[in-house]
Structures are given as structure tokens and as C-alpha cells.
Amino acid sequence: QGHVTESGGGLVQPGGSLRLSCAAFGFTFSDYWMYWLRQAPGRQIEWVAAINPNGAARYYADSVKGRFTISRLDALNAVYLQMNSLKSEDSAVYYCAGAERWLGTVANPRQNYDVWGQGTRVTVSA
């Protein structure tokens, strides 16, 4: 049974940066689309970014475009989310998820993803 584990969350001031990491285990990582999603308190899960299996295609929500960068390193079975120019509205629990198919630029029901992490909390506050 495959799984993923996120790390790198924390407290950061507005305008700061954080890099989230997601380590993958137990599945053929290089075959998977990888996604980052987030959920702020009291709000629905929001799709943030996605990267295709070979890393050549990357997609971003309008709310993070130009500030966040998704990348992957298949040799380490890892996907990353570099977050720059952070804003208070970026505060959320960030989830890493993977699927063997393209699920689009929307947050799918959790069961549509083949793997889903436990999340890492990002707090942007002065």
C-alpha cells in the first residue's frame, strides 16, 4: 500500500518563503501525477498545484500562480512545493496527493486520489 508523507510546514511572516516536501513510498512514483492541495480552517479543500509524471507539465491555481513552484525529483521519490511571497490567506494544512491519472485543476474527492498524506500546517502571520 503506497503512501506519502509531507514535511516543511511551519510559521512564517507575510512575504516569507517555505518549501514543503512530500516523500513517496510503496508505489511507482514516476508513473504518478502529483498534487498539492490545502484546507484552511472552516473552508473546503482547495486544489493548489499539480505536476505530471515526467515533470514537464505544471499547473497552478490562480491564487498561487507566480508565487508557488511545484517540482519533483523521481530519484528521491519526492515532490516539492516552493512557496514564496506568502500571504495570510495561504495559511492552511497542505496535503500531498498522487494519482495515476490526471484529475484536473480542481480538488477531487479524496477517494479519487491513489495516495493522500496526513498534511503539514502552514501559518502565515506576523
Side-chain angles (χ1 to χ4, degrees), residues 67-105:
R67 301 187 297 119
F68 290 12
T69 302
I70 187 172
S71 61
R72 65 189 297 156
L73 189 56
D74 287 358
L76 296 181
N77 284 355
V79 62
Y80 307 96
L81 187 68
Q82 177 66 44
M83 307 186 295
N84 298 328
S85 302
L86 282 161
K87 306 174 182 179
S88 58
E89 52 262 44
D90 294 318
S91 296
V93 176
Y94 283 71
Y95 297 95
C96 171
E100 288 191 279
R101 59 191 179 102
W102 171 235
L103 295 175
T105 57

Side-chain angles (χ1 to χ4, degrees), residues 5 7 17 23-25 29 31 45-46 48-51 63 70 73 79 83 90 92 94 99 101 118 120 126:
T5 302
S7 60
S17 298
F25 305 91
F29 179 74
D31 288 346
I45 290 180
E46 177 187 9
V48 174
I51 189 167
S63 59
I70 187 172
L73 189 56
V79 62
M83 307 186 295
D90 294 318
Y94 283 71
R101 59 191 179 102
Q118 84 289 349
T120 185

